[in-house]
Amino acid sequence: MSDASRPLVLGLETSCDETSAAVLDGENLILGHVILSQDEHELFGGVVPELAARAHLQKVDLVVEEALRQAGVSLGEIDVFGVTAGPGLIGALLVGVSWSKAASFACDRPLVAVHHMEGHLFSPSLENEAAQPPFVALLVSGGHTLLVHTVAWGEYLLLGETRDDAAGEAFDKVAKLLGLGYPGGPLIESLASEGNASRYRLPRPMLRGNQRQGDPDFYDFSFSGLKTAVGELVKRLESDGVLSSEIAHVAAGFQEAAVDVLASKTMRAVKHTGCGRVLVAGGVSANTRLCGELAGRLGAGGQLFHASTRLSLDNAAMVARAARFRYDRGDLAEPDVSASATMTFPGLERRVA
Ligand code: KG4
Ligand code: ZN
């Protein structure tokens, strides 16, 4: 066991298609970190829940062993176990939760049930100590799109969220429409870099100049209409026999519309909260166009925090970091804790307009 003020945390992440374990020393020293992506889903153009759960089950022991080996510690030296308990795919989550519960019981050490999106919120702070609240957080992943005024760690004011598809889901669905692989985000980004974003002007759903603070859609997002517009455009280009020569322009036009909506809503939050510090996290924050646009709109007076690509995507280091925060607050899991596909975000309150 380590020094009580610097507990060693073992984080485990199995909520979707990455099996990941990390050993965290103190608040940001990552001693060991393994992220194993399941490429078997590529064949199906999306994550197959049953396959994901089986793959986690097959790999979890090896992944933890390797993280411990890198850290140079044994399981018995871990002080706190942290695991993503939700939201996510229930079968996948159950693998991590069952593993961590058993380890916590066997080692007689506390267990923390981490909310996946709170994990993402902590990811930039692993690489940059200045990435601390207050900030406006844009959390963009395959399952969520949340705009959160983060007053302090654990004190979250929900400004807006998606009404339909999540931002990453929109990238994935558009990639499918364009006949690209999975996950779609990085494929769209690289294709878009070869295209002209202004060739096809695509709709910016839920973004109009006449919206006012207090309107229910002022901060909320919607991406399904944008996806439908891409679908219509693809059909038209296909029937004209020009899709292959136009595909990069379509990808660029889609990315531009999605980035415009995300950045515009974030800047509304900056204006109305008076907070010029912005944090962007979750898989879509690996998108350099999005980060570039946010940095540009914030200008020299603002500050943008985001993690490297490795820590933007699903990983266990962020889970260990969030677990450390919850552990310090005494938010420990009960012995009967289970995974929850729809876990509520701890400390998140909906802003009353
Ligand atoms: O946070 P994450 O790794 O997993 C979830 O919690 O869902 O996010 C995955 C999502 C996928 O939808 C993926 O297409 C998207 O993040 N993504 C990107 C990029 N890299 C990953 N979206 C846009 N641009 C990228 N470079
Ligand atoms: Zn995620």
Side-chain angles (χ1 to χ4, degrees), residues 173-175 177-178 202-203 224-237 250-251 253-255:
K173 287 181 173 170
V174 166
L177 288 172
L178 296 179
L202 287 157
S224 76
L226 173 58
K227 172 196 67 192
T228 306
V230 174
E232 298 295 317
L233 177 61
V234 166
K235 266 193 223 149
R236 181 160 68 74
L237 296 172
V250 179
F254 159 73
Q255 179 175 263

Side-chain angles (χ1 to χ4, degrees), residues 116-117 120 141 282-283 313-314 318:
H116 183 76
M117 298 313 288
H120 276 301
S141 70
L313 301 173
D314 286 352
M318 70 183 197

Side-chain angles (χ1 to χ4, degrees), residues 16 27 37 44 61 68 281 286 288 290 301:
C16 191
E27 293 196 337
S37 295
F44 305 94
D61 288 327
L68 291 169
T288 41
L290 174 62

